């Protein structure tokens, strides 16, 4: 006879307590025994389903540190399990008596927000770039690594730019852009210069791969022959960056050379010709001074070289006017109160000397 009222040889004990049995033999002999039964239970509580931020982890704890094993459905075999992906996680816990406990938990993950500040990029030296981040209505705390809290910033230096916001769940979201600076192409037209009249100058752009001149030409070198300011835009074929240079071309002036108008001198007279200031003079009469005297009919030309290296010329026609021939005759005598006709010959004017 059992203490729970049963009278079979065996019973199923399922509750904690004291169990006793009285056994009677056919001969009437009796024996008694008692057993205290404790039921071992394994309680597993992974907690409520949870949402985690992207790029973060949550530690799931199956508890029961004295258990003999923990078997997770992701093959983890420890009491705790650090997870960072969305899934339903389950664990079976077995204690030292072989008793088993079980629980599940669903972990969901809050998706990252694309803040859309753009891909890594490059700008030309001297330019700037506007970076703009989206900002969801429920988000708070927008902050750039530059220290700015504005939705848009303008940057012009090489570096890595990052923006961070916090959503309504407290999850951080960030985006990063790497900015590089492309050097401007080298370009040099040289110093401003002066050229001689009726000459030309070849201007060559040093550097670059594409050229756009103010004259409309697109070659690396151009020929010019007028007084003007010339500029060129040079484009780098790889980066697309543009640089420019200018060159002022002036035409040298020789206005101070003037031999005067063509003229006529009398036979036996001389004419003074002055070619003006310069550094060298070459006359058609082979003289090399600034001034010369001429007394013969001819066309006189002078080439004057100036400090600019330019040579200017001028000419003058000099004509000779022959002296008039005068024949008044031999000395003679006439009677008082009579006259004699004296003929000085053809001329344009006559002056009597008494």
């Amino acid at each position: 006879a059992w203490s729970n009222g049963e009278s079979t040889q065996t019973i199923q004990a399922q509750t904690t307590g004291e169990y006793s049995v009285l056994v009677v033999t056919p001969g009437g002999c009796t024996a008694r025994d008692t057993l205290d039964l404790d039921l071992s239970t394994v309680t597993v509580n992974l907690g409520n389903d949870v949402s985690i931020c992207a790029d973060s982890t949550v530690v799931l704890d199956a508890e029961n540190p004295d258990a003999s094993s923990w078997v997770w459905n992701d093959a983890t075999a420890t009491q705790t399990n650090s997870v960072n992906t969305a899934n339903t996680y389950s664990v079976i816990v077995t204690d030292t008596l072989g008793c088993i406990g079980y629980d599940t938990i669903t972990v969901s993950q809050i998706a990252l927000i694309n803040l859309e500040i753009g891909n890594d990029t490059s700008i030309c030296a001297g330019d700037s770039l506007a970076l703009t981040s989206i900002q969801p209505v429920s988000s708070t705390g927008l902050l750039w690594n530059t220290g700015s809290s504005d939705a848009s910033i303008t940057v012009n230096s090489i570096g890595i730019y990052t923006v961070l916001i916090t959503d309504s769940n407290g999850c951080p979201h960030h985006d990063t852009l790497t900015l590089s600076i492309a050097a401007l192409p080298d370009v040099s037209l040289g110093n401003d210069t002066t050229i001689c009249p009726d000459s030309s100058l070849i201007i060559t752009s040093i550097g670059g791969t594409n050229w756009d001149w103010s004259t409309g030409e697109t070659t690396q070198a151009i020929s010019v022959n007028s007084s003007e300011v010339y500029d060129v835009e040079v484009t780098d074929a790889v980066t697309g960056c543009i640089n420019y240079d200018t060159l002022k071309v002036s035409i040298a002036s020789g206005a101070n050379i003037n031999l005067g108008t063509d003229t006529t001198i009398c036979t036996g007279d001389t004419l003074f010709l002055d070619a003006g200031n310069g550094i060298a003079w070459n006359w058609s009469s082979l003289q090399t001074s600034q001034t010369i005297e001429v007394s013969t009919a001819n066309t006189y030309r002078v080439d004057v070289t100036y400090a600019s290296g330019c040579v200017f010329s001028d000419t003058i026609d000099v004509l000779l006017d022959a002296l008039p021939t005068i024949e008044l005759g031999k000395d003679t005598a006439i009677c008082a109160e009579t006259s004699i006709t004296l003929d000085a010959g053809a001329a344009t004017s006559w002056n009597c000397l008494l």
Side-chain angles (χ1 to χ4, degrees), residues 154-178:
T154 299
V155 297
N156 58 11
S157 58
I158 188 171
I160 298 174
Y161 295 90
T162 301
V163 62
L164 175 69
I165 66 167
T166 303
D167 65 20
S168 57
N169 298 302
C171 293
H173 302 267
H174 70 276
D175 198 4
T176 297
L177 178 144
T178 298

Side-chain angles (χ1 to χ4, degrees), residues 110-117 132-143 151 163-169 171-175:
I110 298 171
L112 283 173
I113 300 174
N114 183 1
L115 302 183
E116 301 177 7
I117 66 173
T132 302
S133 170
I134 67 170
Q135 187 173 11
V137 175
S138 59
S139 65
T140 60
L142 184 149
L143 182 65
V163 62
L164 175 69
I165 66 167
T166 303
D167 65 20
S168 57
N169 298 302
C171 293
H173 302 267
H174 70 276
D175 198 4

Side-chain angles (χ1 to χ4, degrees), residues 292-304:
I292 63 172
E293 289 186 12
V294 299
S295 59
T296 57
N298 207 340
T299 297
Y300 293 90
R301 172 190 171 96
V302 65
D303 295 327
V304 181

Side-chain angles (χ1 to χ4, degrees), residues 8 14 54 66 114 135 178 181 194 226 272 287 299 326 340:
T8 57
Q14 297 178 330
D66 295 329
N114 183 1
Q135 187 173 11
T178 298
I181 305 297
T194 299
S226 60
F272 182 78
Q287 291 149 291
T299 297
I326 303 175
I340 185 174

